[in-house]
Amino acid sequence: MGLDVPAIEKALLTGRWDDRLSSPSDAPAVKIARNVVNGDFGDLRTAPSRDLFAVTASAPEDVLARPLAAWFKFSEAAAGPATVEDELLRLVVAVACLHASLQANWTGPDLDIKPLDVLVLAPELSQVVTEDLLHQKAVAELAYGGEPAYHLAKAPLFLLLAKLLLDTPFQHLQSVPWWRLRAWRIHEQMLDEPAVVPPEVMTAVEPLLNSFAVEPDIAGRLLLEQGLLEHYVGNDKSAADYFVRAARATQLEYELTGALGKRTKFQHNDVTQLILLAESRTRADQEGDADSGDPAIDLKAADEKDGSTTAGTAAGPSSPDAAAPAMPETLALNDDTLLEHTAFTSSTTAGASGSRLAHLDPASQPALHPLDQSILLALCLNVKNLSPAHGLTAEQMAPYVARVISHPRNWTVHTMALLLRSRLEAHRTRTVERATLQLQALVDQMPSADSPVAERLRYVHELVLPSRWELERELARRFLALGVVKSALAIFERLEMWEEAVRCWQAMERPDHARAIVRDLLAGRKAEAETVLVRGKALSDARKAGLDAAREAKLWCLLGDLEPEHALEHYTRAWEVSGESSGRAMRSLGGYHFARGNYPEAIACLRKAVAINPLLSRSWFVLGCACVRQEDWEGARDAFVRCVTIDDEDGESWNNLASVYLRMGEVGKTAAAAEEDNGDKNENENDKAGNAAREAQPEGAEKRIPFSNKLLAFRALKQGLKYSYDNWRMWANYMIVSVEVGEFSEACRALTRVVEERAAKDGAACVDEDVLDKLVDAVTRGTGEASTAGNTEVAAAADAGANGNATATAHANANAETGLARRVTDLFERTILPRVSSPRIFRARARLLTAQGRYEDALNAYLDAYRAGPAGTMERGETDVEKWREAVGEVEEIVDVLRNFGPRVDGLKWQLQARSIVRTFMGRTRDFEDEPEWERLKTLQEEIRKED
């Protein structure tokens, strides 16, 4: 029987072996593949697997000087033609190495094979090549994108060998790009910070959806894994799209809705609770049930039997004949108020009308397939990625986790679900204890062998399961947040995570101890975290030579953080030690120079930092700010564009991007001089956007700032305000730019937000009266003569490069037809006047009311303006002549208003009111009878008498 290569490849990918693929005459690669799928990697010790790892160099000096890729024959022999059996052997061995690395560092239990066991060494090399040497070389070569690999990872050589084998040419196997995708995601999780993944990693797997991965579950796995890689490197929107496509591929039906239920023990009445209704498609072979021996366990029923701790074995199997699989320990809440689970009322009307899940009973939903559970957990992560950090987000994530936890189907999937629940519960006083203890239980279970290796590895690629050290780091951070500093410090020191250990010493007010630890590590006097400091010990040259360059650079950066007076020296040393490859060193140097105003040096350092690792938005942000200070508008624009590309919820970067657009000409030259401001960096950039927008207002400003740039600034601010809704400075900037581009409705909305935020503190000064006058002008000019041109035509004209003034005028006319008058009226009546007032505000409202034909209200508004102005507030005994002369003008103005509006108001004796105003004003200001303007008042009084 010939080799069924596609079936073997799919068995490797899904972790399920079909016995029909095996026969006594099978090639060795098939037997190895079966063992790998079953979680047995012992074949790596024997031929033909071990033959791939025969070290070719004979001289010890050659081995030590060459990279690991040059040690083995497969990297050279791959150039010739290879048979299907040869390629399958390489793939199977690569998968074995990859899964061995996962078992050692992610899923457990402890690995029973060592890297040295798989290498074929000549006798003269066996004395030189040791486990320590292999470990150090593997960690050093796994460093990527300026980020070091975790130096205490177990058996890192297995991951490196898997990547080397997968990078060799393959002609006959289709799934190799998929395994490269998996290897890259594991590699990313070993680094300190995510680095840029080569684009071909993602593009190479796309064709598989139309050829190899056509079955629903295979396609769902591939889409889910693509989304998880995008999620890990921070491309949240792309990840969300992949997660939804994965759900469609597996035909998973899910709906977030509400159902009646109780959450506390003392509730008498059912209230609506958030719930996730979900149902897997019916699979022909029901894999995941009988085939894998993992029947569903109902934790709710188990909780009724066991009130303290619920484990997979404690709950019992779903059928008396099936053996219950071992599951991670699930701790009970044991709270005096909250129920263990939300108790939903049995009903089949939970789904929305017409929903395909309306038939599900919220109190008894069917078990989900483990792959569908993995997709739900990914969608749960997506809720966090695309939502702000507050309690509502946690409430929205909880139903996804609860739906998965209710029916444990797979050890690794259930572990991930418990971890997510622990994270959600960490910030609530009633659940923080269980959250911490559950996290401790998950850490303790990793070395145990309570479940088969094959089950643990079956869905590990479909989850963002943290590594062992990351899980322990999370536990230590949880201890630190609870104030258990010494327990956290013990974990950090054991993991040799010195940055976190330093924070612990600083929290205990012992920065001197933190500095001593870092210096001893650099000097070689401290080799392991468990050893005590021995300051008098002689320096170990071997230790210093073996210290990985990336780790040493990181320590120098840490020392620079601890010793600000010598920071420049330490950061520079870190850059030199790393061979000019440490992104952390350049980020630190850039921040150092920026804080001291050395912007050219900061720009040079930060450009190197973002070239090494372009995924860190903070580096781009500081680079953009430095370019702004140097008036390098093109550089600033590019930097802030990268910021919002990485994190489109960064409102501050959107604001600064708008500021840059308002300072750019057609070809990126300075549009307006930047103001000198030594204030806070963030407030400085916010204010600059407003200053730049105001510089566009005087006559001729359009020549300096093209209308297209103003439109770009408007769009940037509009996007940024979605994520910085409470930032009143951004609203003020948005208001000004909106007026400049003719978006008066948006300007009205922005002014409303500014007044709401600042009225209590700034009073009438919070109202930009120039903008208010322009809003009223836009309404009054458009009344009765507004064009019917819609906003679509206006936007098209703007994009086509139409004249800015013409476009803004067209916007004004269109705005009058689309409810601007109503918006401005609401602005006065609901926002401004209930909070603040001033003469100019009253006059602006009077002009609006006049345009609307409401003459009585307009007259009252003018009178309110008079009473709030100098004439209305002038007291007897005033000596300021200039103020009095200004008040005389106001008296004449209000009398003219009464002449104009009085006859239009029925029953108003305007002459009597006008004569009263003049007489009262003259009575209060008789001290100015000798001034020439006094005669004007007497003449005015006489004219009113004649008109009466």
Side-chain angles (χ1 to χ4, degrees):
M1 183 178 68
L3 287 178
D4 189 353
V5 176
I8 295 173
E9 291 185 78
K10 291 176 182 177
L12 289 169
L13 289 167
T14 60
R16 296 184 183 280
W17 186 260
D18 188 346
D19 289 336
R20 291 173 293 182
L21 297 175
S22 302
S23 68
S25 60
D26 275 344
V30 178
K31 298 178 181 177
I32 299 172
R34 181 188 58 205
N35 292 336
V36 170
V37 170
N38 293 329
D40 181 6
F41 313 123
D43 291 324
L44 290 175
R45 299 191 185 97
T46 60
S49 303
R50 198 182 182 202
D51 295 340
L52 291 172
F53 302 119
V55 181
T56 56
S58 57
E61 304 81 35
D62 295 341
V63 172
L64 298 177
R66 294 160 65 185
L68 286 169
W71 282 23
F72 311 110
K73 292 186 294 183
F74 58 77
S75 54
E76 301 171 0
T83 63
V84 175
E85 291 80 1
D86 293 338
E87 291 189 3
L88 184 60
L89 177 63
R90 269 190 280 136
L91 176 62
V92 170
V93 172
V95 174
C97 291
L98 189 64
H99 281 182
S101 178
L102 282 170
Q103 179 183 338
N105 296 291
W106 270 266
T107 65
D110 292 338
L111 195 62
D112 59 356
I113 184 173
K114 297 180 180 179
L116 199 57
D117 296 341
V118 306
L119 300 185
V120 179
L121 299 171
E124 61 272 15
L125 295 178
S126 57
Q127 301 297 324
V128 179
V129 179
T130 62
E131 292 286 355
D132 288 341
L133 174 67
L134 292 175
H135 182 94
Q136 290 177 0
K137 287 186 71 67
V139 168
E141 294 187 25
L142 284 172
Y144 174 76
E147 300 298 330
Y150 180 57
H151 63 288
L152 292 187
K154 295 183 179 179
L157 181 66
F158 284 128
L159 175 60
L160 187 60
L161 291 177
K163 288 179 66 69
L164 292 176
L165 283 169
L166 292 171
D167 286 341
T168 58
F170 287 84
Q171 304 295 329
H172 307 286
L173 304 184
Q174 301 181 64
S175 64
V176 175
W178 192 341
W179 284 106
R180 289 176 184 148
L181 174 76
R182 290 181 166 184
W184 266 104
R185 187 159 74 86
I186 298 169
H187 189 183
E188 287 279 330
Q189 289 186 263
M190 272 202 174
L191 302 177
D192 273 9
E193 297 284 349
V196 177
V197 178
E200 60 270 15
V201 173
M202 293 293 287
T203 57
V205 298
E206 290 294 340
L208 296 182
L209 291 170
N210 300 321
S211 58
F212 182 75
V214 291
E215 295 91 342
D217 285 356
I218 300 291
R221 281 178 180 264
L222 179 55
L223 290 167
L224 178 56
E225 292 178 30
Q226 288 178 275
L228 292 176
L229 181 57
E230 294 279 26
H231 157 79
Y232 193 78
V233 298
N235 299 330
D236 296 331
K237 288 189 175 180
S238 177
D241 180 60
Y242 278 117
F243 296 154
V244 173
R245 290 173 61 192
R248 290 174 184 164
T250 64
Q251 301 172 32
L252 167 66
E253 298 286 348
Y254 65 94
E255 177 186 357
L256 195 63
T257 183
L260 294 176
K262 299 183 179 72
R263 297 182 69 176
T264 67
K265 297 177 180 178
F266 306 108
Q267 269 185 256
H268 295 289
N269 300 321
D270 291 339
V271 295
T272 303
Q273 310 287 348
L274 195 62
I275 186 175
L276 183 77
L277 300 178
E279 186 176 33
S280 297
R281 83 176 194 279
T282 302
R283 287 163 169 82
D285 58 352
Q286 288 299 321
E287 62 170 322
D289 292 338
D291 181 53
S292 62
D294 53 353
I297 300 171
D298 190 344
L299 288 187
K300 295 181 181 179
D303 287 336
E304 296 174 0
K305 298 179 181 179
D306 186 351
S308 58
T309 301
T310 303
T313 54
S318 58
S319 63
D321 298 330
M327 287 291 161
E329 184 180 18
T330 306
L331 300 182
L333 183 59
N334 292 331
D335 187 70
D336 59 357
T337 301
L338 294 179
L339 294 171
E340 293 291 332
H341 308 276
T342 302
F344 290 101
T345 303
S346 293
S347 169
T348 57
T349 60
S353 177
S355 170
R356 285 175 290 186
L357 299 176
H359 63 282
L360 293 182
D361 183 355
S364 180
Q365 294 193 64
L368 296 174
H369 188 273
L371 178 57
D372 291 333
Q373 290 183 332
S374 302
I375 294 174
L376 287 183
L377 294 179
L379 290 167
C380 173
L381 292 173
N382 186 55
V383 171
K384 180 181 179 182
N385 292 341
L386 302 180
S387 305
H390 54 53
L392 289 179
T393 300
E395 289 294 328
Q396 190 176 351
M397 294 172 66
Y400 290 87
V401 179
R403 183 68 180 90
V404 175
I405 289 179
S406 61
H407 297 95
R409 305 294 299 278
N410 175 268
W411 187 93
T412 312
V413 176
H414 196 58
T415 295
M416 188 68 200
L418 292 175
L419 176 61
L420 288 177
R421 187 183 69 176
S422 173
R423 291 171 179 172
L424 293 177
E425 293 182 344
H427 307 292
R428 297 179 59 192
T429 54
R430 288 191 176 274
T431 57
V432 64
E433 181 180 1
R434 187 196 30 197
T436 307
L437 293 176
Q438 182 69 73
L439 190 55
Q440 179 72 67
L442 294 179
V443 170
D444 294 341
Q445 73 169 356
M446 286 296 178
S448 65
D450 55 355
S451 61
V453 174
E455 182 191 355
R456 296 190 181 199
L457 293 173
R458 185 166 296 138
Y459 295 100
V460 69
H461 297 287
E462 282 65 50
L463 303 164
V464 193
L465 188 70
S467 58
R468 286 190 181 188
W469 61 86
E470 284 294 338
L471 201 58
E472 291 195 61
R473 179 195 297 200
E474 188 170 341
L475 176 62
R477 286 176 173 171
R478 189 76 52 81
F479 284 154
L480 192 58
L482 295 174
V484 191
V485 181
K486 286 192 175 181
S487 296
L489 177 62
I491 295 176
F492 288 138
E493 289 195 335
R494 176 165 50 80
L495 298 175
E496 297 191 12
M497 295 179 176
W498 304 116
E499 287 190 71
E500 287 84 355
V502 164
R503 292 194 190 101
C504 291
W505 284 114
Q506 289 175 327
M508 292 188 291
E509 299 182 357
R510 293 290 305 276
D512 54 331
H513 203 80
R515 287 193 293 269
I517 288 177
V518 177
R519 287 196 172 278
D520 285 351
L521 285 166
L522 287 169
R525 292 190 291 265
K526 184 178 181 66
E528 298 295 338
E530 293 83 358
T531 60
V532 297
L533 298 177
V534 185
R535 293 181 175 80
K537 186 176 179 180
L539 297 182
S540 171
D541 294 335
R543 171 64 178 169
K544 292 181 67 176
L547 188 63
D548 176 68
R551 286 181 55 216
E552 185 178 355
K554 185 177 178 180
L555 290 172
W556 280 111
C557 290
L558 186 55
L559 188 60
D561 297 340
L562 291 169
E563 298 180 351
E565 63 277 8
H566 302 296
L568 179 60
E569 175 186 346
H570 296 327
Y571 295 150
T572 305
R573 178 69 181 276
W575 178 246
E576 295 170 351
V577 164
S578 69
E580 299 186 353
S581 65
S582 171
R584 165 71 187 274
M586 276 295 110
R587 292 194 293 271
S588 299
L589 278 171
Y592 175 88
H593 290 303
F594 184 89
R596 287 156 181 78
N598 302 325
Y599 302 122
E601 293 85 351
I603 291 173
C605 293
L606 290 169
R607 287 196 188 280
K608 294 178 181 178
V610 297
I612 295 171
N613 189 348
L615 290 183
L616 300 180
S617 62
R618 190 64 189 173
S619 301
W620 286 107
F621 183 85
V622 180
L623 174 60
C625 292
C627 289
V628 167
R629 304 296 173 86
Q630 289 297 108
E631 299 186 8
D632 177 9
W633 308 119
E634 280 192 330
R637 178 198 60 193
D638 295 341
F640 290 127
V641 165
R642 290 300 296 266
C643 283
V644 298
T645 302
I646 296 170
D647 181 9
D648 64 349
E649 297 183 12
D650 186 356
E652 198 173 5
S653 294
W654 283 112
N655 180 80
N656 292 352
L657 180 60
S659 171
V660 171
Y661 281 138
L662 292 173
R663 284 170 162 75
M664 293 179 66
E666 291 286 2
V667 293
K669 296 182 180 179
T670 302
E675 294 189 1
E676 187 71 25
D677 188 356
N678 294 325
D680 178 76
K681 174 181 69 178
N682 297 338
E683 293 189 4
N684 185 47
E685 301 308 324
N686 284 337
D687 294 339
K688 281 186 175 182
N691 294 336
R694 290 188 180 281
E695 288 169 4
Q697 297 183 51
E699 183 179 358
E702 289 79 3
K703 298 178 181 178
R704 299 196 305 271
I705 304 177
F707 180 79
S708 59
N709 284 17
K710 296 179 185 177
L711 197 58
L712 289 170
F714 167 77
R715 291 169 178 169
L717 286 168
K718 186 175 184 178
Q719 184 71 14
L721 283 169
K722 295 178 182 178
Y723 313 108
S724 297
Y725 188 77
D726 295 330
N727 189 331
W728 67 269
R729 289 186 177 86
M730 284 185 65
W731 281 109
N733 300 340
Y734 184 56
M735 171 184 65
I736 297 166
V737 176
S738 297
V739 170
E740 289 302 311
V741 299
E743 290 282 355
F744 294 109
S745 293
E746 290 299 301
C748 186
R749 186 166 74 100
L751 182 55
T752 299
R753 287 293 301 140
V754 173
V755 173
E756 288 173 349
E757 292 289 332
R758 302 298 297 176
K761 184 174 182 179
D762 296 342
C766 70
V767 180
D768 192 316
E769 295 174 338
D770 293 335
V771 170
L772 188 62
D773 284 338
K774 288 190 176 183
L775 291 175
V776 173
D777 289 342
V779 175
T780 56
R781 286 200 308 266
T783 302
E785 59 184 16
S787 69
T788 58
N791 288 334
T792 303
E793 296 176 2
V794 173
D799 290 339
N803 179 269
N805 290 332
T807 305
T809 304
H811 268 293
N813 294 336
N815 279 325
E817 286 292 322
T818 55
L820 179 61
R822 177 178 52 80
R823 290 175 179 268
V824 176
T825 300
D826 289 344
L827 173 65
F828 278 110
E829 295 178 354
R830 297 185 179 184
T831 304
I832 296 179
L833 292 179
R835 293 175 172 84
V836 297
S837 62
S838 73
R840 192 169 172 184
I841 292 175
F842 284 124
R843 291 192 187 97
R845 181 166 187 260
R847 290 192 292 115
L848 177 65
L849 295 170
T850 302
Q852 296 172 346
R854 298 166 57 185
Y855 299 116
E856 184 175 0
D857 293 335
L859 179 57
N860 290 332
Y862 276 120
L863 289 172
D864 288 337
Y866 170 79
R867 297 185 190 104
T873 58
M874 184 166 288
E875 300 291 338
R876 189 183 301 275
E878 180 66 51
T879 59
D880 189 342
V881 177
E882 292 302 324
K883 181 179 179 182
W884 179 79
R885 288 172 179 166
E886 181 183 353
V888 171
E890 289 190 358
V891 172
E892 294 173 332
E893 179 182 345
I894 193 62
V895 170
D896 288 340
V897 169
L898 286 168
R899 282 198 185 104
N900 292 330
F901 288 89
R904 303 185 187 186
V905 179
D906 295 336
L908 177 65
K909 297 180 180 179
W910 67 268
Q911 298 93 340
L912 181 62
Q913 192 167 3
R915 189 165 61 248
S916 174
I917 289 174
V918 177
R919 184 173 61 247
T920 301
F921 180 75
M922 293 178 68
R924 288 179 179 175
T925 60
R926 290 192 178 278
D927 295 339
F928 299 97
E929 289 180 340
D930 297 335
E931 297 296 327
E933 288 79 4
W934 188 262
E935 292 299 323
R936 288 164 49 189
L937 292 174
K938 295 173 70 175
T939 302
L940 182 61
Q941 193 175 31
E942 187 63 27
E943 290 175 355
I944 296 173
R945 186 178 297 112
K946 290 179 181 180
E947 293 176 3
D948 189 0

